[in-house]
Amino acid sequence: MAQVTRQCPSFVRAVTSSETDPIAAVNEVAAQVNPADSCFALAFVSGGQDIAEIARALDEKLGGMPVFGCSSAGQITEKGYETDVLLLLVFPKQHFRCSSILIEPLTPLSNTAIAAEVQRQSGKFRHTAGWNRLGLVFTDGLCRQEDLLVATLEAVLDDLPIFGGSAGDRLLFEKTFVLQGGKAYSNAAVLLLLETDLPFTGIGFDHFLPAETQIVITDADPDARKVFEINGAPAAAEYARLVGCPVRDLSPQVFAENPLLVEYRNHHYVRAISDADEEGALSFLAAIDDGLVMRLGRGQEIIETLRSGLHIRDRHGKRPDFILGFDCVLRKLEIEQKQLGRPVSAILSEERVLGFNTFGEQQGGVHMNQTFVGVAFFQPAERDLH
């Protein structure tokens, strides 16, 4: 394979550390950052690291420079997919402004209180003439509240595009965290209101098409995102029959390659399965309910859909300076299962994608799974760096 010469982004700085000791990892990334000319940073922390210690150390080492982020199921660095690194993305003051809101608790979720706080904070965020605004949201990936939260944010901030990712912990599904102000929080979300002089465009794609056969959820617990029956039969057994494998062979790999899709506003979104329990119930990573009509997802060629989805150009035909990406861990799992990790990482690197592997993705007021969601940032029109 020919070696690709990668040009680094001009409007974000990506620094990483593979040190396993939290303090050593923070020291390594902090040494490469100048807080004086930085607006804020995003930290994506391996699910195997002590995020509370990392959050505290980053706040201390960077002199209180705002750092936000979450635990993750993997990082997307300048090398592509990585699993056990600390990734810090530093955004310069010259091109970014931000305001943040810590939303907690998520369970129970108070739509009224969240709406009031978001409206209040948004009203205080001074607008810079000619700059563009967007929202980023990072959510506890095990709170089961992303659907309601992102719908509330979309309703309140209806003039602001919002993109996000759910925190992960590798594939343990035990505890996930968001990060703000030198602390790590579970049962919480962090909303960032951003302003930038960089043009941007949203990205969202998956690699599944709906099969013909309809599937009906006939018994479910929406609060727990658990399905007990599909088509009137035990859920795990019926799902296994539909995908053509024994119940005993159901695994994260099978779930990743055979998700269920739900139609909303003439678009199909993935509702991924996380596991099957001993009683034959299926747990989902997004909203589920009795009577929901779904279809089995039929996978397309993942390399080609990735290339096509990331081929973004501005109105002048120029490529993005960088893409902030939230990529579902189940996509990564399927890619690794098919031994496509190296070519996928090469594409991500070539397209300047930086971000993390999620337990869920948010865009356009919808929470989804097995999707790549991102924001492509372009250089300001008056500048020509190439």
Side-chain angles (χ1 to χ4, degrees), residues 15 28 35 78 83 108 111 118 133 147 174 208 211 219 222 243 249 272 281 303 357 376 386:
V15 293
E28 185 174 359
E78 291 181 331
T83 301
N111 298 49
V118 169
R133 288 192 164 196
D147 307 271
E174 292 176 351
F208 294 100
D219 187 12
V243 303
D249 291 342
I303 292 281
N357 294 113
H386 301 288

Side-chain angles (χ1 to χ4, degrees), residues 29-44:
V29 297
Q32 303 173 66
V33 176
N34 180 5
D37 60 16
S38 303
C39 176
F40 70 98
L42 297 179
F44 300 122

Side-chain angles (χ1 to χ4, degrees), residues 73-232:
Q75 300 76 43
I76 307 173
T77 74
E78 291 181 331
K79 297 178 181 178
Y81 280 150
E82 295 200 66
T83 301
D84 291 315
V85 301
L86 169 61
L87 170 62
L88 198 68
L89 304 180
V90 186
F91 293 75
K93 282 181 181 177
Q94 185 178 354
H95 299 284
F96 290 91
R97 293 180 59 244
C98 82
S99 177
S100 71
I101 306 168
L102 178 67
I103 301 171
E104 66 164 351
L106 289 180
T107 305
L109 187 142
S110 171
N111 298 49
T112 304
I114 290 172
E117 175 62 16
V118 169
Q119 284 179 323
R120 186 184 69 82
Q121 194 69 23
S122 177
K124 291 170 56 180
F125 189 35
R126 181 177 54 84
H127 197 289
T128 303
W131 284 37
N132 310 298
R133 288 192 164 196
L134 71 153
L136 299 178
V137 62
F138 305 107
T139 310
D140 179 343
L142 299 176
C143 68
R144 304 190 184 100
Q145 297 289 356
E146 299 103 320
D147 307 271
L148 292 175
L149 174 63
V150 72
T152 300
L153 297 178
E154 184 78 7
V156 174
L157 302 171
D158 57 353
D159 60 342
L160 199 74
I162 300 171
F163 310 89
S166 302
D169 63 349
R170 297 178 178 171
L171 279 170
L172 298 176
F173 298 103
E174 292 176 351
K175 197 163 189 178
T176 63
F177 300 88
V178 297
L179 186 158
Q180 186 207 45
K183 295 182 180 180
Y185 300 86
S186 284
N187 193 27
V190 174
L191 172 66
L192 301 185
L193 304 177
L194 297 189
E195 197 170 66
T196 177
D197 66 341
L198 273 60
F200 66 84
T201 188
I203 304 171
F205 60 87
D206 59 48
H207 61 290
F208 294 100
L209 293 176
E212 292 298 322
T213 306
Q214 288 190 341
I215 297 165
V216 181
I217 305 302
T218 47
D219 187 12
D221 179 348
D223 291 338
R225 290 181 179 168
K226 187 160 283 195
V227 172
F228 305 103
E229 286 186 2
I230 294 175
N231 298 335

Side-chain angles (χ1 to χ4, degrees), residues 7 45 48 83 104 159 194 206 215 243 291 301 311 317 344 363 369 381 383:
Q7 187 164 3
V45 185
T83 301
E104 66 164 351
D159 60 342
L194 297 189
D206 59 48
I215 297 165
V243 303
E301 214 292 314
H311 187 76
V344 166
Q363 183 183 23
N369 307 124
R383 296 192 59 175

Side-chain angles (χ1 to χ4, degrees), residues 219 226-230 233-238 247-248 250 275-283:
D219 187 12
K226 187 160 283 195
V227 172
F228 305 103
E229 286 186 2
I230 294 175
E238 178 67 358
V247 174
R248 65 178 179 276
L250 292 179
D275 64 79
D277 66 22
E278 294 180 356
E279 285 74 40
L282 297 175
S283 294

